[in-house]
Amino acid sequence: VSGLGEFDLIDALAARLDPPDEGLGIGDDAATWRPGAGSVVVATTDMLVEGIHFRLDWTSPRDLGWKALAVNLSDLAAMGARPGRGLVSVALLPGQAELVEELYEGMNELARLTGTRIVGGDTVRSPGPLVVNVALIGEADSDRLLRRDGARPGDLLALTGTVGASAAGLDLLVRDDRESLARPEAGPLLAAHHRPQPQLAAGGALAALGLKCAIDVSDGVASEAWHLARASHVAIEIDVERLPLAPEAVSLLGEEKARQLALSGGEDYQLLFAVPETRLTDVAAALRDGGPPIVVGRVTGERPGGDVVVLESGRPVQAAQAGYVAF
Amino acid sequence: VSGLGEFDLIDALAARLDPPDEGLGIGDDAATWRPGAGSVVVATTDMLVEGIHFRLDWTSPRDLGWKALAVNLSDLAAMGARPGRGLVSVALLPGQAELVEELYEGMNELARLTGTRIVGGDTVRSPGPLVVNVALIGEADSDRLLRRDGARPGDLLALTGTVGASAAGLDLLVRDDRESLARPEAGPLLAAHHRPQPQLAAGGALAALGLKCAIDVSDGVASEAWHLARASHVAIEIDVERLPLAPEAVSLLGEEKARQLALSGGEDYQLLFAVPETRLTDVAAALRDGGPPIVVGRVTGERPGGDVVVLESGRPVQAAQAGYVAF
């Protein structure tokens, strides 16, 4: 497929996507659609760069396409929003056309499962690294948004599922731990890393219940708790023993390491949300299909600028503001 | 500013932007806003990659920020749409934080001039090239869209202004033509290349008049005529002598070269649109402020798959499907 022209490539990529359900898709200067009456638009974007966010010897193009969309869908889930139309930009080397076609196939798999349509994009040359940017535009009911600034003193903090699996899978790859990689427990960890599951149903359910505050776990529970604490101006306690660890991570890496990856590893894409104690039964009923919520901490009071304390056996330990990237 | 943390950088960048007029902006998992009643959403995205689309020794960070937004605004103009909210993704090297802050300042200059708000984005590390992706979401009246497939036999094809200036400016830079670069005519050519002016007012006026077909000139008039011909299934004639050449390009590079750059150079971001002959006076009146439309060709008939003939002294010459990039 090398030597394909730009417009042939665009045609080949469009053929891998479900067509838009209404309005204009790929092929005009812009995509169009009619927004739902009474809804607010909810928009997010994420860029994945080869050598920083992924390596092509560790990740298949299909998984990369899935993940590039999944991380954006997770942002919509964290707002309680519904998908959604996506715009996909790819910078590729000559000779990578077939790879990018597979990337689109993986992306369309998840798009189909979640009711997302890829309606436009840009395809350009790269001088080296493969770059994938997805911008995703969804909708929500305006009075039903899960915001970062909605946590209140007395709220419990809960997760929609286990954490640390993705970081454990990455850890096996980084250390090239062939013994562990050959064991059956590695499968779910690598799957969590390569094909994260955005918690759209859970986010929608929490928003429908009238909850006010959630974030998705992209950088580790400690880092996300800091985001909520700063935006809501509250102090948060996290009980490290209550973190729902991925059992395969505990099995392959031990409890201490699994716990550290849950706290500061990231890429779990579960939701961390605030819930008044009186609403916990409602939440458990609403989330039943995806597994019950797991309480991991609480909002202890108001605190301008925010604070997070991580407790182990009731004693504060290092509450790293993880997810730090220096520029 | 090197060594700035990710969240400090996001704060520094957000400080360079006008805040959203309503809804959530930078600082939550996604941006939100309420769409205009009865409007359709119009969304587009463009990626600029260092070494492919720009060089930092030729382009200032401020100009790059302006241009990254301008090329997206031009897509909205070509649909007859209004801005708009933007999402900006940047991949940068450690040490480029200050550069990216200036990029945001240049982008916000154009945002302010056009009623655009930058409401979100992503800031990631690059292993080398600087990458800037803008996704722009605007609105239009659903029955007033300028589409690529709206050209009809008998329509005239017209431009909103001169073409070839940007490509002429780039030509001077590529050839490092210091003698020409020192002359006053170089100024407008470099300005056209670095700070293109999206034709939002013209696009809006054409749409309001009920015209049906336009495209923005990003790849040269010949290439854009091909897009219209293919989408509308018509044959198009372009009279090369009627192309409105940038006078500074003619002065510095000669008429032959200026004409070739107008036909196949690109990055002019004027609009090429189809107009029934009977509507030409209305269009001239509506576009008066930005200069009258310049008729450069016509739709000669229906043609499945499209066709473009470029005429010079009434004889067909090479009608290159310019803008071809091999992958």
Side-chain angles (χ1 to χ4, degrees):
Chain A
V1 200
S2 164
L4 213 59
E6 180 185 3
F7 304 125
D8 298 327
L9 176 58
I10 293 170
D11 288 346
L13 295 178
R16 265 122 188 119
L17 300 172
D18 292 347
D21 46 344
E22 55 125 350
L24 296 174
I26 291 168
D28 217 303
D29 294 303
T32 67
W33 66 91
R34 206 177 282 272
S39 295
V40 292
V41 179
V42 182
T44 186
T45 192
D46 277 289
M47 183 177 272
L48 300 184
V49 181
E50 184 181 356
I52 303 291
H53 303 95
F54 64 88
R55 285 173 52 165
L56 288 169
D57 52 344
W58 289 352
T59 305
S60 78
R62 275 185 183 77
D63 287 349
L64 181 59
W66 173 292
K67 190 166 183 172
L69 180 57
V71 299
N72 281 279
L73 286 166
S74 181
D75 283 323
L76 292 194
M79 301 296 291
R82 305 174 285 275
R85 271 88 174 172
L87 305 171
V88 183
S89 301
V90 181
L92 67 156
L93 282 173
Q96 286 185 319
E98 201 166 343
L99 183 158
V100 173
E101 289 173 28
E102 289 174 20
L103 184 155
Y104 264 65
E105 286 172 8
M107 190 176 288
N108 198 54
E109 263 186 73
L110 181 59
R112 194 172 283 175
L113 288 170
T114 56
T116 308
R117 301 285 174 135
I118 306 299
V119 293
D122 194 17
T123 313
V124 301
R125 283 184 62 163
S126 166
L130 183 68
V131 182
V132 186
N133 191 87
V134 175
L136 191 60
I137 303 118
E139 293 185 2
D141 303 323
S142 58
D143 54 347
R144 301 272 158 167
L145 282 171
L146 303 171
R147 301 165 52 138
R148 292 187 180 181
D149 62 4
R152 294 289 166 265
D155 283 353
L156 299 176
L157 279 188
L159 283 165
T160 51
T162 62
V163 283
S166 171
L170 179 60
D171 180 75
L172 299 181
L173 291 169
V174 169
R175 291 189 296 105
D176 194 20
D177 181 348
R178 295 181 192 196
E179 195 182 311
S180 295
L181 283 165
R183 290 178 54 184
E185 297 97 318
L189 301 181
L190 293 173
H193 185 63
H194 292 314
R195 296 223 167 193
Q197 305 288 330
Q199 299 298 309
L200 288 159
L206 297 176
L209 283 172
L211 298 199
K212 295 296 175 204
C213 181
I215 192 168
D216 64 321
V217 182
S218 55
D219 287 338
V221 172
S223 175
E224 309 310 341
W226 267 106
H227 283 303
L228 297 187
R230 266 192 298 258
S232 299
H233 297 289
V234 295
I236 287 177
E237 268 182 17
I238 300 285
D239 295 316
V240 83
E241 284 99 346
R242 303 178 84 169
L243 288 174
L245 306 180
E248 300 86 357
V250 175
S251 164
L252 288 185
L253 301 171
E255 191 166 328
E256 190 51 40
K257 174 85 172 174
R259 193 168 276 168
Q260 185 250 313
L261 293 175
L263 209 54
S264 321
E267 298 205 282
D268 293 299
Y269 302 109
Q270 296 292 343
L271 301 182
L272 177 68
F273 62 97
V275 49
E277 195 156 3
T278 54
R279 305 299 309 279
L280 201 56
T281 339
D282 298 343
V283 169
L287 297 188
R288 201 178 320 143
D289 289 348
I294 305 104
V295 174
V296 298
R298 61 201 183 91
V299 180
T300 55
E302 299 193 359
R303 184 74 55 93
D307 188 34
V308 173
V309 175
V310 177
L311 297 173
E312 191 165 355
S313 312
R315 283 203 302 264
V317 295
Q318 178 67 27
Q321 296 194 35
Y324 183 94
V325 180
F327 285 104
Chain B
V1 200
S2 162
L4 213 59
E6 179 184 5
F7 304 123
D8 298 327
L9 176 59
I10 292 169
D11 288 346
L13 296 178
R16 263 116 189 126
L17 300 172
D18 292 347
D21 47 343
E22 55 125 348
L24 296 173
I26 292 167
D28 216 305
D29 294 304
T32 68
W33 66 90
R34 205 177 283 274
S39 295
V40 291
V41 178
V42 182
T44 185
T45 192
D46 277 290
M47 184 178 272
L48 301 182
V49 181
E50 184 181 357
I52 305 292
H53 303 97
F54 65 88
R55 285 173 50 162
L56 288 172
D57 52 343
W58 289 351
T59 305
S60 76
R62 275 186 184 76
D63 286 349
L64 180 59
W66 173 291
K67 190 166 184 172
L69 180 58
V71 300
N72 281 281
L73 285 166
S74 182
D75 283 323
L76 292 194
M79 299 298 289
R82 305 174 286 275
R85 270 89 174 172
L87 305 172
V88 183
S89 301
V90 180
L92 68 155
L93 283 173
Q96 286 184 321
E98 201 166 345
L99 184 159
V100 173
E101 289 174 28
E102 290 174 19
L103 184 156
Y104 263 65
E105 285 172 9
M107 189 176 289
N108 198 54
E109 265 187 72
L110 181 58
R112 195 172 282 176
L113 288 170
T114 57
T116 309
R117 302 284 173 133
I118 307 298
V119 293
D122 194 17
T123 312
V124 301
R125 283 184 63 162
S126 166
L130 184 69
V131 182
V132 186
N133 191 87
V134 175
L136 189 62
I137 303 118
E139 293 185 3
D141 303 324
S142 58
D143 53 346
R144 301 271 158 167
L145 282 172
L146 303 171
R147 302 164 51 136
R148 293 187 180 181
D149 62 4
R152 294 289 168 264
D155 284 352
L156 300 176
L157 279 189
L159 283 165
T160 49
T162 62
V163 284
S166 172
L170 178 61
D171 181 74
L172 299 181
L173 291 171
V174 168
R175 291 188 297 101
D176 194 19
D177 181 348
R178 295 181 192 197
E179 195 182 311
S180 296
L181 283 167
R183 289 180 53 185
E185 297 97 319
L189 302 180
L190 294 173
H193 185 62
H194 291 315
R195 294 223 167 192
Q197 305 288 331
Q199 299 297 310
L200 288 160
L206 298 175
L209 283 171
L211 298 199
K212 295 295 177 206
C213 181
I215 192 169
D216 64 321
V217 182
S218 54
D219 287 338
V221 172
S223 175
E224 308 310 341
W226 267 106
H227 282 303
L228 298 186
R230 266 193 298 259
S232 299
H233 297 287
V234 296
I236 288 177
E237 269 182 15
I238 300 284
D239 294 318
V240 83
E241 285 99 346
R242 303 179 81 169
L243 288 174
L245 306 180
E248 300 86 357
V250 175
S251 165
L252 288 185
L253 300 171
E255 189 164 331
E256 190 52 39
K257 175 80 172 178
R259 193 167 277 168
Q260 185 249 314
L261 293 175
L263 211 53
S264 321
E267 298 205 282
D268 293 300
Y269 301 108
Q270 297 292 343
L271 301 182
L272 177 68
F273 62 97
V275 49
E277 195 157 2
T278 54
R279 303 300 309 280
L280 200 57
T281 340
D282 298 342
V283 169
L287 297 188
R288 201 180 317 144
D289 290 346
I294 305 105
V295 174
V296 297
R298 61 201 184 90
V299 180
T300 56
E302 298 193 0
R303 186 74 54 91
D307 189 33
V308 173
V309 176
V310 177
L311 297 173
E312 191 164 354
S313 314
R315 282 203 303 267
V317 295
Q318 177 68 28
Q321 297 194 34
Y324 183 93
V325 180
F327 284 104

